[in-house]
Amino acid sequence: MAKPTPLVAGNWKMNGLNTALAEIEALSGLLGGKDTPACDVMICPPATLLSRLADAADGSSIAVGGQDCHQNVSGAHTGDISAQMLKDAGASAVIVGHSERRADHGESDKTVHDKAVAAWDAGLKAIICVGETESQRDAGETIQVVEGQLAGSIPEGATADNMVVAYEPVWAIGTGRTPTADDVAAVHAAMRAALEARFGAETGGSVALLYGGSVKPGNAVELMGVANVNGALVGGASLKAADFDGIIDAYRG
Ligand code: 13P
């Protein structure tokens, strides 16, 4: 059975001006100057930087992704960006269903599902995010919430090539707090079982499952070492090339 290909992806969120392109050059230099990591590397910048960042990353091992897409291909949706536009700008993937989109823009599982379909139609990999709030965790509902989000957000036709799942507990994002390794293991085991039950052992067993939420160089080795964790979705620590590379270190010898 094919093993998941680990991915360390940086989500810059609403951060990054022209000057941030220097971080890509720095990251490219770090990746080129050290042992090749046993993971794919991606940066998801704000849409304004996408094409310039794709140019800057050209010839390096850094892939570029979007942070969100509209579910339609084109039309009267002021301010929105389609998956096809992201692809056209140089993206190979797009994050859908990030908890900040779910919370700030009221995105439902159905919306996330439709965005993932749009991503696939445009030839992009969908990075589908799930994760419980602190009150859901306190109520003992974590597994149930995550399983429900997976069931509702992942379309039929998912494969290890067109999808990555990211588990991001909402309360761990940007807080410096993380679940214990045992807690991460329990959620990732449940996600793996749900994917295998729905898509079969081969597909379900080979989809990469990322952990996200306060991943830093100092905790990456432990978190990336948890069973069924196949990489990280990194916010704050992806903004500086040296920090991000310190996380990628978890996948070097
Ligand atoms: P932080 O790494 O800043 O906690 O953000 C995680 C995240 O939301 C990545 O998508």
Side-chain angles (χ1 to χ4, degrees):
M1 188 191 304
K3 282 203 174 137
T5 304
L7 168 67
V8 176
N11 173 9
W12 282 7
K13 308 191 180 185
M14 199 171 71
N15 299 289
L17 302 173
N18 246 322
T19 45
L21 293 175
E23 294 301 326
I24 291 302
E25 275 150 38
L27 181 61
S28 173
L30 288 165
L31 288 169
K34 292 167 88 171
D35 288 350
T36 305
C39 65
D40 290 340
V41 174
M42 184 184 294
I43 294 287
C44 301
T48 47
L49 283 181
L50 199 58
S51 71
R52 273 173 292 168
L53 202 140
D55 284 348
D58 197 28
S60 78
S61 53
I62 306 167
V64 174
Q67 297 179 9
D68 174 52
C69 65
H70 195 274
Q71 52 272 45
N72 293 357
V73 174
S74 62
H77 302 286
T78 301
D80 279 316
I81 296 174
S82 74
Q84 199 178 59
M85 290 167 176
L86 297 173
K87 171 88 174 171
D88 189 48
S92 58
V94 58
I95 299 168
V96 292
H98 192 283
S99 61
E100 287 151 15
R101 299 288 317 173
R102 291 178 186 261
D104 295 355
H105 300 271
E107 291 190 4
S108 65
D109 287 338
K110 170 77 171 82
T111 309
V112 178
H113 168 284
D114 293 350
K115 290 182 174 203
V117 171
W120 294 349
D121 287 347
L124 298 180
K125 182 176 279 209
I127 301 174
I128 300 179
C129 300
V130 297
E132 82 286 1
T133 62
E134 185 150 36
S135 60
Q136 288 167 331
R137 172 161 285 267
D138 290 346
E141 296 167 0
T142 297
I143 301 284
Q144 187 190 331
V145 165
V146 168
E147 285 176 348
Q149 289 174 327
L150 290 179
S153 306
I154 300 176
E156 289 305 317
T159 70
D161 286 333
N162 68 18
M163 178 179 77
V164 168
V165 173
Y167 167 57
E168 299 204 305
V170 176
W171 53 272
I173 294 176
T175 59
R177 296 161 59 205
T178 57
T180 64
D182 284 350
D183 286 342
V184 174
V187 175
H188 279 241
M191 295 200 297
R192 181 69 72 208
L195 292 174
E196 286 177 348
R198 182 166 164 202
F199 297 106
E202 177 63 40
T203 294
S206 51
V207 170
L209 304 180
L210 313 188
Y211 167 78
S214 297
V215 179
K216 311 275 181 238
N219 61 19
V221 169
E222 184 187 14
L223 288 166
M224 299 304 103
V226 172
N228 288 305
V229 172
N230 316 116
L233 186 53
V234 185
S238 70
L239 295 170
K240 288 273 165 258
D243 292 343
F244 193 53
D245 187 67
I247 292 167
I248 294 168
D249 269 343
Y251 287 99
R252 289 186 178 102

